[in-house]
Amino acid sequence: MRPIRKRRLQLVLLLVAGVGITVGIALMALQQNLNLFYSPAQIVAGEVEQGVTIRAGGLVVPGSVERDPNSLMAEFEVTDYQGYVTIRYNGILPDLFAEGQGIIAIGELGEDMVVTADQVLAKHDEEYMPPELVKAIEEAGHPAGADQYSN
Amino acid sequence: MNWTWFHKWGSPKWFFQKTESLIYWFGFLALIFLVVGLVWGLAFAPEDFKQGNSFRIFYIHVPSAILAQSIFLAMAISAAVGLIWRMKLAHVFVETAAPIGASITLLALLTGAIWGKPTWGTWWVWDARLTSTLIQFFLYLGIISLHQSIENRDTASKATAIACLVGVVNLPIIKFSVNWWNTLHQPATFTLTESPAMATEMWVPGLIMVLGFYMLFAYLVTLRMRSEILEREKGSAWVKAYLEKLNVL
């Protein structure tokens, strides 16, 4: 490589590295603000202010869903296996809402440590399977479709 | 190492002559892959156990998102080549690929929103993956308008190339956003290290669609580069000879 081209290559690499480091530092500083939701462990640990609108995310604990027979009111627990938080929601739950499913609730944390949600979103995972395969796996005695709640 | 091939492909005349027949192959393969992938994916692949038929938009959303990022990477590499070797053809690639990249990114954003509504329960959420992809769209628009706003061709090329190199920093952010932060968007189904988190009869049409999207891009960008070359070299003898052969002069 000719010296002039080598110098230009160095300049290009320097530019990319410089911008990369700058953006990297900015992102590290903003780390917490870039998370879309708080995990139940963070809420239990008191990282969340009460009375402020937050997003709380976690897996719906199987068997914890209680629906009011006379209204749309539903109450359920979410977990990241390190903490449990109760969510109260008065509205239509998304189609993908199910026990064991990852969800994100947008609402306020009350003094009773219950999140009163204005909106519930379903998080889906990266796994896709045809229904027949799920049936076959379940018949073989393994739970299928159990969400891997990474993050 | 022998670099002759590299310099040969840097010549507009060589590129124009070599892509003469190649472009038909790109177009032909794009058509085959896209038709087969779409019909297979939309009509014959099994539905998902949780999402039902709405998951089928996967076959357009995922290939367009992959391609939109690949185009940006290709543009950044090409921009670096253009800056270091002063290769005009590399700049031609950057400038002709940018509008295609912008359109494909918009397609990924729109199909994502359409998919998000029935599955997540919302069209849009400001999570790290969605936001960084929106930034990529704006970077494409910025690159296009930067190039158009500078009169002098060489200055415009240089400025555009630098913008590409600055913008490429966004790529790892898009890619790893789902791993670094809590997002509503799920992690990648396809990775280079592990087998897909998807049944075989579902990911094969997806792979065909990805190949189809790449071929479509190759076709479109070659087409645009060829016409840009004709425009830039219209005074040269070989272009005149070519046009005479076509009986357009």
Side-chain angles (χ1 to χ4, degrees), chain B residues 85-128:
Chain B
W85 279 275
R86 294 281 191 265
M87 194 184 274
K88 291 216 170 87
L89 200 57
H91 290 301
V92 171
F93 173 82
V94 171
E95 289 140 23
T96 51
I100 309 173
S103 321
I104 300 288
T105 310
L106 187 64
L107 181 66
L109 286 168
L110 290 178
T111 49
I114 294 167
W115 195 5
K117 188 64 187 167
T119 48
W120 295 340
T122 182
W123 299 101
W124 182 263
V125 63
W126 292 98
D127 86 347

mmCIF file of all heavy atoms in Angstrom, chain B residues 85-128:
data_model
loop_
_atom_site.group_PDB
_atom_site.id
_atom_site.type_symbol
_atom_site.label_atom_id
_atom_site.label_comp_id
_atom_site.label_asym_id
_atom_site.label_seq_id
_atom_site.Cartn_x
_atom_site.Cartn_y
_atom_site.Cartn_z
ATOM 1 N N TRP B 85 -8.584 5.006 -1.662
ATOM 2 C CA TRP B 85 -8.019 4.767 -2.987
ATOM 3 C C TRP B 85 -8.444 5.813 -4.012
ATOM 4 O O TRP B 85 -8.098 5.692 -5.171
ATOM 5 C CB TRP B 85 -8.377 3.363 -3.470
ATOM 6 C CG TRP B 85 -7.494 2.304 -2.891
ATOM 7 C CD1 TRP B 85 -6.271 1.901 -3.373
ATOM 8 C CD2 TRP B 85 -7.733 1.514 -1.725
ATOM 9 N NE1 TRP B 85 -5.751 0.924 -2.574
ATOM 10 C CE2 TRP B 85 -6.616 0.662 -1.557
ATOM 11 C CE3 TRP B 85 -8.764 1.438 -0.793
ATOM 12 C CZ2 TRP B 85 -6.520 -0.247 -0.504
ATOM 13 C CZ3 TRP B 85 -8.667 0.537 0.244
ATOM 14 C CH2 TRP B 85 -7.556 -0.294 0.389
ATOM 15 N N ARG B 86 -9.247 6.762 -3.597
ATOM 16 C CA ARG B 86 -9.775 7.777 -4.534
ATOM 17 C C ARG B 86 -10.461 7.083 -5.712
ATOM 18 O O ARG B 86 -10.245 7.431 -6.871
ATOM 19 C CB ARG B 86 -8.639 8.668 -5.070
ATOM 20 C CG ARG B 86 -7.985 9.538 -4.031
ATOM 21 C CD ARG B 86 -8.852 10.763 -3.747
ATOM 22 N NE ARG B 86 -8.146 11.738 -2.950
ATOM 23 C CZ ARG B 86 -8.247 11.820 -1.616
ATOM 24 N NH1 ARG B 86 -8.997 10.976 -0.960
ATOM 25 N NH2 ARG B 86 -7.594 12.748 -0.954
ATOM 26 N N MET B 87 -11.264 6.071 -5.387
ATOM 27 C CA MET B 87 -11.916 5.293 -6.440
ATOM 28 C C MET B 87 -13.317 5.850 -6.664
ATOM 29 O O MET B 87 -14.165 5.791 -5.774
ATOM 30 C CB MET B 87 -11.956 3.825 -6.006
ATOM 31 C CG MET B 87 -12.281 2.867 -7.117
ATOM 32 S SD MET B 87 -12.424 1.205 -6.467
ATOM 33 C CE MET B 87 -10.713 0.685 -6.524
ATOM 34 N N LYS B 88 -13.546 6.405 -7.850
ATOM 35 C CA LYS B 88 -14.823 7.084 -8.097
ATOM 36 C C LYS B 88 -16.006 6.124 -8.074
ATOM 37 O O LYS B 88 -17.085 6.450 -7.606
ATOM 38 C CB LYS B 88 -14.765 7.793 -9.455
ATOM 39 C CG LYS B 88 -13.809 8.975 -9.437
ATOM 40 C CD LYS B 88 -14.335 10.108 -10.299
ATOM 41 C CE LYS B 88 -13.526 11.372 -10.090
ATOM 42 N NZ LYS B 88 -12.345 11.437 -10.971
ATOM 43 N N LEU B 89 -15.744 4.896 -8.577
ATOM 44 C CA LEU B 89 -16.824 3.922 -8.666
ATOM 45 C C LEU B 89 -17.361 3.573 -7.272
ATOM 46 O O LEU B 89 -18.562 3.315 -7.092
ATOM 47 C CB LEU B 89 -16.322 2.666 -9.370
ATOM 48 C CG LEU B 89 -17.391 1.763 -9.965
ATOM 49 C CD1 LEU B 89 -18.259 2.525 -10.946
ATOM 50 C CD2 LEU B 89 -16.749 0.569 -10.636
ATOM 51 N N ALA B 90 -16.461 3.590 -6.265
ATOM 52 C CA ALA B 90 -16.887 3.298 -4.895
ATOM 53 C C ALA B 90 -17.870 4.374 -4.426
ATOM 54 O O ALA B 90 -18.870 4.076 -3.772
ATOM 55 C CB ALA B 90 -15.672 3.235 -3.973
ATOM 56 N N HIS B 91 -17.589 5.626 -4.785
ATOM 57 C CA HIS B 91 -18.510 6.711 -4.417
ATOM 58 C C HIS B 91 -19.824 6.577 -5.171
ATOM 59 O O HIS B 91 -20.889 6.864 -4.631
ATOM 60 C CB HIS B 91 -17.870 8.071 -4.725
ATOM 61 C CG HIS B 91 -16.728 8.405 -3.806
ATOM 62 N ND1 HIS B 91 -16.876 8.482 -2.450
ATOM 63 C CD2 HIS B 91 -15.425 8.664 -4.058
ATOM 64 C CE1 HIS B 91 -15.713 8.788 -1.906
ATOM 65 N NE2 HIS B 91 -14.804 8.892 -2.855
ATOM 66 N N VAL B 92 -19.732 6.128 -6.425
ATOM 67 C CA VAL B 92 -20.957 5.928 -7.209
ATOM 68 C C VAL B 92 -21.841 4.899 -6.512
ATOM 69 O O VAL B 92 -23.059 5.070 -6.404
ATOM 70 C CB VAL B 92 -20.618 5.475 -8.656
ATOM 71 C CG1 VAL B 92 -21.880 5.049 -9.397
ATOM 72 C CG2 VAL B 92 -19.922 6.582 -9.409
ATOM 73 N N PHE B 93 -21.207 3.826 -5.985
ATOM 74 C CA PHE B 93 -21.992 2.808 -5.260
ATOM 75 C C PHE B 93 -22.705 3.435 -4.063
ATOM 76 O O PHE B 93 -23.901 3.248 -3.867
ATOM 77 C CB PHE B 93 -21.089 1.658 -4.793
ATOM 78 C CG PHE B 93 -21.807 0.673 -3.915
ATOM 79 C CD1 PHE B 93 -22.596 -0.322 -4.457
ATOM 80 C CD2 PHE B 93 -21.722 0.761 -2.520
ATOM 81 C CE1 PHE B 93 -23.285 -1.214 -3.652
ATOM 82 C CE2 PHE B 93 -22.405 -0.122 -1.704
ATOM 83 C CZ PHE B 93 -23.194 -1.115 -2.272
ATOM 84 N N VAL B 94 -21.948 4.197 -3.250
ATOM 85 C CA VAL B 94 -22.528 4.804 -2.047
ATOM 86 C C VAL B 94 -23.741 5.650 -2.416
ATOM 87 O O VAL B 94 -24.810 5.547 -1.810
ATOM 88 C CB VAL B 94 -21.469 5.670 -1.323
ATOM 89 C CG1 VAL B 94 -22.112 6.468 -0.200
ATOM 90 C CG2 VAL B 94 -20.347 4.814 -0.787
ATOM 91 N N GLU B 95 -23.577 6.476 -3.459
ATOM 92 C CA GLU B 95 -24.634 7.425 -3.789
ATOM 93 C C GLU B 95 -25.854 6.766 -4.430
ATOM 94 O O GLU B 95 -26.970 7.239 -4.265
ATOM 95 C CB GLU B 95 -24.051 8.511 -4.706
ATOM 96 C CG GLU B 95 -23.108 9.419 -3.913
ATOM 97 C CD GLU B 95 -21.862 9.825 -4.677
ATOM 98 O OE1 GLU B 95 -21.885 9.800 -5.929
ATOM 99 O OE2 GLU B 95 -20.859 10.158 -4.029
ATOM 100 N N THR B 96 -25.621 5.669 -5.168
ATOM 101 C CA THR B 96 -26.772 5.013 -5.795
ATOM 102 C C THR B 96 -27.449 4.038 -4.831
ATOM 103 O O THR B 96 -28.639 3.758 -4.978
ATOM 104 C CB THR B 96 -26.350 4.254 -7.071
ATOM 105 O OG1 THR B 96 -25.241 3.429 -6.755
ATOM 106 C CG2 THR B 96 -25.987 5.200 -8.176
ATOM 107 N N ALA B 97 -26.692 3.527 -3.839
ATOM 108 C CA ALA B 97 -27.283 2.548 -2.912
ATOM 109 C C ALA B 97 -28.134 3.232 -1.839
ATOM 110 O O ALA B 97 -29.084 2.635 -1.334
ATOM 111 C CB ALA B 97 -26.180 1.718 -2.249
ATOM 112 N N ALA B 98 -27.792 4.494 -1.504
ATOM 113 C CA ALA B 98 -28.460 5.160 -0.379
ATOM 114 C C ALA B 98 -29.988 5.214 -0.505
ATOM 115 O O ALA B 98 -30.687 4.860 0.450
ATOM 116 C CB ALA B 98 -27.877 6.558 -0.180
ATOM 117 N N PRO B 99 -30.559 5.629 -1.647
ATOM 118 C CA PRO B 99 -32.030 5.657 -1.725
ATOM 119 C C PRO B 99 -32.652 4.267 -1.603
ATOM 120 O O PRO B 99 -33.747 4.128 -1.041
ATOM 121 C CB PRO B 99 -32.302 6.243 -3.115
ATOM 122 C CG PRO B 99 -31.062 6.952 -3.506
ATOM 123 C CD PRO B 99 -29.950 6.190 -2.871
ATOM 124 N N ILE B 100 -31.957 3.247 -2.112
ATOM 125 C CA ILE B 100 -32.481 1.877 -1.972
ATOM 126 C C ILE B 100 -32.480 1.497 -0.498
ATOM 127 O O ILE B 100 -33.457 0.951 0.022
ATOM 128 C CB ILE B 100 -31.636 0.873 -2.790
ATOM 129 C CG1 ILE B 100 -31.469 1.353 -4.231
ATOM 130 C CG2 ILE B 100 -32.263 -0.511 -2.750
ATOM 131 C CD1 ILE B 100 -30.515 0.510 -5.052
ATOM 132 N N GLY B 101 -31.361 1.809 0.189
ATOM 133 C CA GLY B 101 -31.269 1.503 1.618
ATOM 134 C C GLY B 101 -32.361 2.203 2.417
ATOM 135 O O GLY B 101 -32.976 1.611 3.309
ATOM 136 N N ALA B 102 -32.620 3.465 2.067
ATOM 137 C CA ALA B 102 -33.665 4.211 2.778
ATOM 138 C C ALA B 102 -35.024 3.548 2.580
ATOM 139 O O ALA B 102 -35.797 3.380 3.533
ATOM 140 C CB ALA B 102 -33.692 5.655 2.282
ATOM 141 N N SER B 103 -35.324 3.144 1.349
ATOM 142 C CA SER B 103 -36.626 2.517 1.070
ATOM 143 C C SER B 103 -36.774 1.202 1.821
ATOM 144 O O SER B 103 -37.841 0.905 2.374
ATOM 145 C CB SER B 103 -36.785 2.236 -0.430
ATOM 146 O OG SER B 103 -36.249 3.271 -1.187
ATOM 147 N N ILE B 104 -35.686 0.405 1.840
ATOM 148 C CA ILE B 104 -35.761 -0.904 2.502
ATOM 149 C C ILE B 104 -35.909 -0.719 4.015
ATOM 150 O O ILE B 104 -36.634 -1.464 4.683
ATOM 151 C CB ILE B 104 -34.516 -1.752 2.158
ATOM 152 C CG1 ILE B 104 -34.405 -1.979 0.649
ATOM 153 C CG2 ILE B 104 -34.554 -3.086 2.882
ATOM 154 C CD1 ILE B 104 -35.418 -2.924 0.061
ATOM 155 N N THR B 105 -35.217 0.303 4.574
ATOM 156 C CA THR B 105 -35.368 0.566 6.010
ATOM 157 C C THR B 105 -36.805 0.969 6.325
ATOM 158 O O THR B 105 -37.386 0.523 7.321
ATOM 159 C CB THR B 105 -34.418 1.697 6.456
ATOM 160 O OG1 THR B 105 -33.111 1.418 5.981
ATOM 161 C CG2 THR B 105 -34.378 1.819 7.968
ATOM 162 N N LEU B 106 -37.390 1.799 5.450
ATOM 163 C CA LEU B 106 -38.783 2.207 5.651
ATOM 164 C C LEU B 106 -39.700 0.988 5.603
ATOM 165 O O LEU B 106 -40.624 0.851 6.419
ATOM 166 C CB LEU B 106 -39.182 3.223 4.572
ATOM 167 C CG LEU B 106 -40.557 3.860 4.740
ATOM 168 C CD1 LEU B 106 -40.611 4.689 6.010
ATOM 169 C CD2 LEU B 106 -40.904 4.734 3.544
ATOM 170 N N LEU B 107 -39.411 0.073 4.679
ATOM 171 C CA LEU B 107 -40.206 -1.162 4.580
ATOM 172 C C LEU B 107 -40.112 -1.961 5.887
ATOM 173 O O LEU B 107 -41.126 -2.459 6.395
ATOM 174 C CB LEU B 107 -39.711 -2.009 3.399
ATOM 175 C CG LEU B 107 -40.452 -3.309 3.137
ATOM 176 C CD1 LEU B 107 -41.880 -3.043 2.697
ATOM 177 C CD2 LEU B 107 -39.738 -4.152 2.067
ATOM 178 N N ALA B 108 -38.894 -2.051 6.438
ATOM 179 C CA ALA B 108 -38.714 -2.794 7.691
ATOM 180 C C ALA B 108 -39.496 -2.117 8.824
ATOM 181 O O ALA B 108 -40.136 -2.790 9.644
ATOM 182 C CB ALA B 108 -37.233 -2.879 8.049
ATOM 183 N N LEU B 109 -39.466 -0.783 8.868
ATOM 184 C CA LEU B 109 -40.181 -0.052 9.922
ATOM 185 C C LEU B 109 -41.689 -0.239 9.784
ATOM 186 O O LEU B 109 -42.390 -0.476 10.771
ATOM 187 C CB LEU B 109 -39.831 1.435 9.862
ATOM 188 C CG LEU B 109 -38.440 1.826 10.358
ATOM 189 C CD1 LEU B 109 -38.120 3.264 9.965
ATOM 190 C CD2 LEU B 109 -38.337 1.670 11.867
ATOM 191 N N LEU B 110 -42.199 -0.137 8.555
ATOM 192 C CA LEU B 110 -43.645 -0.252 8.337
ATOM 193 C C LEU B 110 -44.143 -1.667 8.637
ATOM 194 O O LEU B 110 -45.147 -1.842 9.334
ATOM 195 C CB LEU B 110 -43.998 0.134 6.894
ATOM 196 C CG LEU B 110 -43.842 1.613 6.544
ATOM 197 C CD1 LEU B 110 -44.174 1.856 5.083
ATOM 198 C CD2 LEU B 110 -44.728 2.472 7.444
ATOM 199 N N THR B 111 -43.422 -2.688 8.109
ATOM 200 C CA THR B 111 -43.869 -4.060 8.377
ATOM 201 C C THR B 111 -43.755 -4.365 9.870
ATOM 202 O O THR B 111 -44.569 -5.108 10.414
ATOM 203 C CB THR B 111 -43.047 -5.086 7.575
ATOM 204 O OG1 THR B 111 -41.665 -4.809 7.751
ATOM 205 C CG2 THR B 111 -43.389 -5.048 6.108
ATOM 206 N N GLY B 112 -42.751 -3.781 10.528
ATOM 207 C CA GLY B 112 -42.608 -3.974 11.961
ATOM 208 C C GLY B 112 -43.794 -3.400 12.721
ATOM 209 O O GLY B 112 -44.332 -4.020 13.643
ATOM 210 N N ALA B 113 -44.241 -2.208 12.309
ATOM 211 C CA ALA B 113 -45.385 -1.573 12.968
ATOM 212 C C ALA B 113 -46.654 -2.397 12.762
ATOM 213 O O ALA B 113 -47.436 -2.618 13.689
ATOM 214 C CB ALA B 113 -45.574 -0.155 12.423
ATOM 215 N N ILE B 114 -46.821 -2.888 11.517
ATOM 216 C CA ILE B 114 -48.012 -3.689 11.201
ATOM 217 C C ILE B 114 -48.002 -4.988 12.011
ATOM 218 O O ILE B 114 -49.036 -5.460 12.460
ATOM 219 C CB ILE B 114 -48.063 -3.977 9.682
ATOM 220 C CG1 ILE B 114 -48.270 -2.680 8.910
ATOM 221 C CG2 ILE B 114 -49.157 -4.983 9.344
ATOM 222 C CD1 ILE B 114 -48.025 -2.785 7.426
ATOM 223 N N TRP B 115 -46.823 -5.542 12.220
ATOM 224 C CA TRP B 115 -46.680 -6.767 13.004
ATOM 225 C C TRP B 115 -46.865 -6.479 14.496
ATOM 226 O O TRP B 115 -47.411 -7.292 15.245
ATOM 227 C CB TRP B 115 -45.294 -7.359 12.752
ATOM 228 C CG TRP B 115 -45.116 -8.773 13.187
ATOM 229 C CD1 TRP B 115 -46.065 -9.618 13.697
ATOM 230 C CD2 TRP B 115 -43.902 -9.524 13.135
ATOM 231 N NE1 TRP B 115 -45.509 -10.843 13.957
ATOM 232 C CE2 TRP B 115 -44.197 -10.809 13.629
ATOM 233 C CE3 TRP B 115 -42.588 -9.238 12.726
ATOM 234 C CZ2 TRP B 115 -43.217 -11.804 13.720
ATOM 235 C CZ3 TRP B 115 -41.633 -10.227 12.811
ATOM 236 C CH2 TRP B 115 -41.941 -11.495 13.304
ATOM 237 N N GLY B 116 -46.384 -5.325 14.917
ATOM 238 C CA GLY B 116 -46.433 -4.992 16.339
ATOM 239 C C GLY B 116 -47.850 -4.850 16.869
ATOM 240 O O GLY B 116 -48.145 -5.231 17.992
ATOM 241 N N LYS B 117 -48.723 -4.291 16.046
ATOM 242 C CA LYS B 117 -50.093 -4.024 16.519
ATOM 243 C C LYS B 117 -50.802 -5.299 17.002
ATOM 244 O O LYS B 117 -51.270 -5.345 18.132
ATOM 245 C CB LYS B 117 -50.883 -3.310 15.403
ATOM 246 C CG LYS B 117 -52.244 -2.812 15.852
ATOM 247 C CD LYS B 117 -52.118 -1.741 16.927
ATOM 248 C CE LYS B 117 -53.480 -1.365 17.487
ATOM 249 N NZ LYS B 117 -53.361 -0.569 18.723
ATOM 250 N N PRO B 118 -50.889 -6.365 16.189
ATOM 251 C CA PRO B 118 -51.597 -7.551 16.693
ATOM 252 C C PRO B 118 -50.816 -8.348 17.747
ATOM 253 O O PRO B 118 -51.443 -9.008 18.581
ATOM 254 C CB PRO B 118 -51.819 -8.406 15.437
ATOM 255 C CG PRO B 118 -50.789 -7.967 14.476
ATOM 256 C CD PRO B 118 -50.512 -6.528 14.774
ATOM 257 N N THR B 119 -49.492 -8.347 17.702
ATOM 258 C CA THR B 119 -48.758 -9.206 18.637
ATOM 259 C C THR B 119 -48.422 -8.481 19.937
ATOM 260 O O THR B 119 -48.712 -8.981 21.012
ATOM 261 C CB THR B 119 -47.469 -9.746 17.998
ATOM 262 O OG1 THR B 119 -46.774 -8.659 17.391
ATOM 263 C CG2 THR B 119 -47.775 -10.791 16.972
ATOM 264 N N TRP B 120 -47.814 -7.305 19.852
ATOM 265 C CA TRP B 120 -47.438 -6.588 21.072
ATOM 266 C C TRP B 120 -48.611 -5.811 21.654
ATOM 267 O O TRP B 120 -48.675 -5.567 22.850
ATOM 268 C CB TRP B 120 -46.322 -5.573 20.792
ATOM 269 C CG TRP B 120 -45.022 -6.153 20.369
ATOM 270 C CD1 TRP B 120 -44.599 -7.437 20.568
ATOM 271 C CD2 TRP B 120 -43.961 -5.477 19.689
ATOM 272 N NE1 TRP B 120 -43.347 -7.591 20.042
ATOM 273 C CE2 TRP B 120 -42.927 -6.412 19.497
ATOM 274 C CE3 TRP B 120 -43.795 -4.177 19.229
ATOM 275 C CZ2 TRP B 120 -41.739 -6.080 18.867
ATOM 276 C CZ3 TRP B 120 -42.610 -3.851 18.604
ATOM 277 C CH2 TRP B 120 -41.595 -4.791 18.421
ATOM 278 N N GLY B 121 -49.484 -5.345 20.745
ATOM 279 C CA GLY B 121 -50.581 -4.482 21.176
ATOM 280 C C GLY B 121 -50.285 -3.012 20.937
ATOM 281 O O GLY B 121 -51.000 -2.148 21.410
ATOM 282 N N THR B 122 -49.231 -2.707 20.180
ATOM 283 C CA THR B 122 -48.923 -1.307 19.878
ATOM 284 C C THR B 122 -48.196 -1.215 18.543
ATOM 285 O O THR B 122 -47.488 -2.136 18.144
ATOM 286 C CB THR B 122 -48.073 -0.668 20.991
ATOM 287 O OG1 THR B 122 -47.832 0.691 20.671
ATOM 288 C CG2 THR B 122 -46.738 -1.371 21.156
ATOM 289 N N TRP B 123 -48.424 -0.097 17.813
ATOM 290 C CA TRP B 123 -47.738 0.118 16.535
ATOM 291 C C TRP B 123 -46.266 0.424 16.757
ATOM 292 O O TRP B 123 -45.417 0.039 15.992
ATOM 293 C CB TRP B 123 -48.344 1.309 15.787
ATOM 294 C CG TRP B 123 -49.773 1.189 15.422
ATOM 295 C CD1 TRP B 123 -50.826 1.760 16.073
ATOM 296 C CD2 TRP B 123 -50.334 0.476 14.322
ATOM 297 N NE1 TRP B 123 -51.993 1.449 15.444
ATOM 298 C CE2 TRP B 123 -51.724 0.659 14.364
ATOM 299 C CE3 TRP B 123 -49.781 -0.302 13.289
ATOM 300 C CZ2 TRP B 123 -52.572 0.103 13.425
ATOM 301 C CZ3 TRP B 123 -50.641 -0.848 12.360
ATOM 302 C CH2 TRP B 123 -52.010 -0.661 12.435
ATOM 303 N N TRP B 124 -46.030 1.186 17.802
ATOM 304 C CA TRP B 124 -44.676 1.731 17.979
ATOM 305 C C TRP B 124 -44.371 1.840 19.466
ATOM 306 O O TRP B 124 -45.263 2.123 20.277
ATOM 307 C CB TRP B 124 -44.593 3.126 17.345
ATOM 308 C CG TRP B 124 -43.222 3.705 17.448
ATOM 309 C CD1 TRP B 124 -42.779 4.579 18.394
ATOM 310 C CD2 TRP B 124 -42.110 3.428 16.612
ATOM 311 N NE1 TRP B 124 -41.464 4.857 18.183
ATOM 312 C CE2 TRP B 124 -41.025 4.169 17.096
ATOM 313 C CE3 TRP B 124 -41.911 2.611 15.476
ATOM 314 C CZ2 TRP B 124 -39.765 4.127 16.498
ATOM 315 C CZ3 TRP B 124 -40.660 2.580 14.880
ATOM 316 C CH2 TRP B 124 -39.618 3.333 15.389
ATOM 317 N N VAL B 125 -43.141 1.605 19.820
ATOM 318 C CA VAL B 125 -42.695 1.820 21.184
ATOM 319 C C VAL B 125 -41.256 2.333 21.082
ATOM 320 O O VAL B 125 -40.531 1.963 20.162
ATOM 321 C CB VAL B 125 -42.824 0.501 21.999
ATOM 322 C CG1 VAL B 125 -41.928 -0.587 21.454
ATOM 323 C CG2 VAL B 125 -42.554 0.729 23.459
ATOM 324 N N TRP B 126 -40.889 3.250 21.974
ATOM 325 C CA TRP B 126 -39.546 3.837 21.858
ATOM 326 C C TRP B 126 -38.520 2.949 22.536
ATOM 327 O O TRP B 126 -37.836 3.370 23.465
ATOM 328 C CB TRP B 126 -39.519 5.254 22.440
ATOM 329 C CG TRP B 126 -40.331 6.199 21.620
ATOM 330 C CD1 TRP B 126 -41.603 6.600 21.877
ATOM 331 C CD2 TRP B 126 -39.947 6.831 20.399
ATOM 332 N NE1 TRP B 126 -42.045 7.444 20.891
ATOM 333 C CE2 TRP B 126 -41.040 7.605 19.974
ATOM 334 C CE3 TRP B 126 -38.790 6.825 19.622
ATOM 335 C CZ2 TRP B 126 -41.011 8.357 18.801
ATOM 336 C CZ3 TRP B 126 -38.774 7.574 18.457
ATOM 337 C CH2 TRP B 126 -39.868 8.330 18.067
ATOM 338 N N ASP B 127 -38.411 1.697 22.103
ATOM 339 C CA ASP B 127 -37.360 0.857 22.689
ATOM 340 C C ASP B 127 -36.092 0.992 21.836
ATOM 341 O O ASP B 127 -36.093 1.618 20.779
ATOM 342 C CB ASP B 127 -37.843 -0.577 22.899
ATOM 343 C CG ASP B 127 -37.680 -1.473 21.684
ATOM 344 O OD1 ASP B 127 -37.428 -0.944 20.593
ATOM 345 O OD2 ASP B 127 -37.829 -2.692 21.829
ATOM 346 N N ALA B 128 -34.985 0.423 22.341
ATOM 347 C CA ALA B 128 -33.691 0.683 21.710
ATOM 348 C C ALA B 128 -33.622 0.166 20.276
ATOM 349 O O ALA B 128 -33.050 0.817 19.396
ATOM 350 C CB ALA B 128 -32.578 0.058 22.561
#
